[in-house]
Amino acid sequence: VAYEKLKSISKTITNSKSEDELPLIYFLIAGGGAGALSAAVTCPLDVVKTRIQIESKNTEEYSSIRNAFRTMVRNEGYGAFWKGLTARITWIAPA
């Protein structure tokens, strides 16, 4: 959805009547932008998933996904969910 919207915006910016008239760079920008958006939207879930995967079986700090969210908010604040976002965007957007 984001990719198609960004292509549509590109058509408006360049006054193109069809996608065939768009220069390649606009497709690359639309793809990168859509990838960056998807990385930002899914980052909180990915952080929680990673935390649960790497926790030691001895500590078991997180008993469930809901518990992981609550514990992270209580101990680190909402910013904890976007840790590593720059690295994710750098990894995903060029793809």
Side-chain angles (χ1 to χ4, degrees), residues 11-39:
K11 280 176 31 180
T12 303
I13 290 171
T14 60
N15 294 321
S16 299
K17 294 180 181 165
S18 71
E19 291 179 10
D20 296 334
E21 297 175 6
L22 280 176
L24 176 63
I25 189 70
Y26 287 96
F27 289 101
L28 297 174
I29 291 170
L37 180 63
S38 70

Side-chain angles (χ1 to χ4, degrees), residues 50-91:
T50 303
R51 295 270 183 106
I52 290 171
Q53 286 177 334
I54 65 170
E55 81 174 337
S56 169
K57 297 210 185 284
N58 298 331
T59 57
E60 291 196 35
E61 183 178 358
Y62 309 119
S63 59
S64 67
I65 293 173
R66 178 182 289 172
N67 175 262
F69 272 100
R70 287 181 184 163
T71 303
M72 289 171 65
V73 169
R74 182 177 45 241
N75 295 341
E76 302 173 59
Y78 289 102
F81 296 110
W82 284 273
K83 286 185 176 180
L85 178 62
T86 304
R88 280 180 54 83
I89 289 174
T90 304
W91 177 258

